[in-house]
Amino acid sequence: MTDAAMPALPPKIETPFRRFAADFCESKIAVGGLVVFAVVFAAAMLCAWISPQNPYDLRQLDIMDGKLKPGEVSSTGLQFWLGSDSQGRDMVSAILYGLRTSFLVAVTSGVIAAAVGTTVGLIAAYYGGRVDTIL
């Protein structure tokens, strides 16, 4: 088939999302921030598999491992990269499990704020006038 016989491809339509994605990808800081966020989010979601200890499992805790310095090895052979607290919990594991709670709080507060803001905005738009001014 010759070039003249091939149908021309339709031009790409520039949508607002494509424009946003192109501008976002041009910024090295934005892409770097997204990568860091993705790594932290993945660590939070996979903490049950990547953390050396479950800080909520009382059977794994040993009071003799309390207040270990960073890098020390416990009596069970587990190395505490960031040390341990007074109850013998690994600080790396506590941080990873705490990330899950932080993300849960962030998402929950965002959803609540969006619901309240949308409701107030709809009421203000529907009634207008003084109600809009008050809200």
Side-chain angles (χ1 to χ4, degrees):
M1 198 176 251
T2 63
D3 288 338
M6 292 182 64
L9 294 175
K12 289 187 178 181
I13 299 171
E14 175 135 352
T15 63
F17 178 75
R18 279 195 186 187
R19 196 170 359 163
F20 167 76
D23 290 343
F24 185 85
C25 291
E26 284 180 12
S27 172
K28 291 180 182 180
I29 294 174
V31 173
L34 182 63
V35 168
V36 169
F37 174 77
V39 168
V40 170
F41 186 76
M45 295 301 113
L46 300 173
C47 70
W49 294 282
I50 64 175
S51 65
Q53 180 189 50
N54 182 351
Y56 300 120
D57 188 6
L58 298 177
R59 292 174 291 158
Q60 292 181 357
L61 301 181
D62 187 4
I63 196 74
M64 298 304 292
D65 293 335
K67 302 261 187 186
L68 291 178
K69 294 180 181 171
E72 284 191 37
V73 178
S74 70
S75 58
T76 59
L78 181 66
Q79 186 166 12
F80 292 99
W81 291 104
L82 294 178
S84 64
D85 63 1
S86 61
Q87 297 175 349
R89 292 181 293 212
D90 180 35
M91 295 309 295
V92 171
S93 300
I95 290 170
L96 290 174
Y97 274 85
L99 282 172
R100 284 197 321 191
T101 305
S102 297
F103 277 115
L104 177 66
V105 169
V107 169
T108 303
S109 63
V111 167
I112 290 171
V116 169
T118 301
T119 303
V120 170
L122 287 173
I123 291 170
Y126 183 74
Y127 289 107
R130 288 187 181 158
V131 175
D132 185 21
T133 304
I134 291 170
L135 292 177

